[in-house]
Amino acid sequence: MKTKMLTSLVLTGALAGALSVKAHEGHKHETKAKAAAVDVKTVKLTGEVIDLSCYLDHEGKGKEHRKCAEACLLEKHVPAGLLGDDGSVVLLVADHKHEKEFAPIPGWAAERITVTGKRMNKGGLNAILVSSAEKAK
């Protein structure tokens, strides 16, 4: 009985999670969310694509960390960051209007890229809503 109940709870949780992810696709945000953002600037930055999990845990970066970063970004869906030449790190986030432009970023682990987008600092989190991305020249 306990096994059936546990299985039922796990399946219910998995279904609820899957439905909430599907529900997020294509939804519209209210303009109030834009007003809540702090310190918004359109910027163009160049740096190395890093997986934030390894970078925060053991400063994983560079060509020697490429395979691990690819696995983290592409298979585990760890958030991507951009490590600037000055050592600063920003979270890279897909802008809903430019998701296709963001899509190749996880495959560019340990590569130098240039991104353009809205840089935001909200609640102490430094992020860029990416509107375009390309390998750095």
Side-chain angles (χ1 to χ4, degrees), residues 27-41 95-98 118-122 129:
H27 73 281
K28 302 275 186 212
H29 292 277
E30 293 185 28
T31 56
K32 291 179 193 175
K34 290 181 183 177
V38 178
D39 193 23
V40 178
K41 298 176 186 172
D95 184 325
H96 288 309
K97 296 175 185 173
H98 301 282
K118 294 176 189 168
R119 184 174 190 156
M120 299 182 171
N121 185 323
K122 191 169 184 179
L129 288 174

Side-chain angles (χ1 to χ4, degrees), residues 12-13 15 34 49-50 61 67 70 103 110 112 114-115 122:
T12 302
L15 180 60
K34 290 181 183 177
V49 176
I50 56 173
K61 62 182 179 178
K67 285 187 181 184
E70 285 176 346
R112 287 184 53 77
T114 299
V115 296
K122 191 169 184 179

Side-chain angles (χ1 to χ4, degrees), residues 5 8 13 19 22 31 36 44 47 54 65 71 75 87 90 93 96-97 99 102 106 110 112 114 119-120 128 130 133:
M5 182 180 254
S8 179
L19 290 174
K22 185 67 177 166
T31 56
K44 186 174 189 174
C54 287
H65 186 255
E75 296 169 22
V90 293
V93 181
H96 288 309
K97 296 175 185 173
E99 290 177 355
F102 181 86
R112 287 184 53 77
T114 299
R119 184 174 190 156
M120 299 182 171
I128 296 179
V130 177

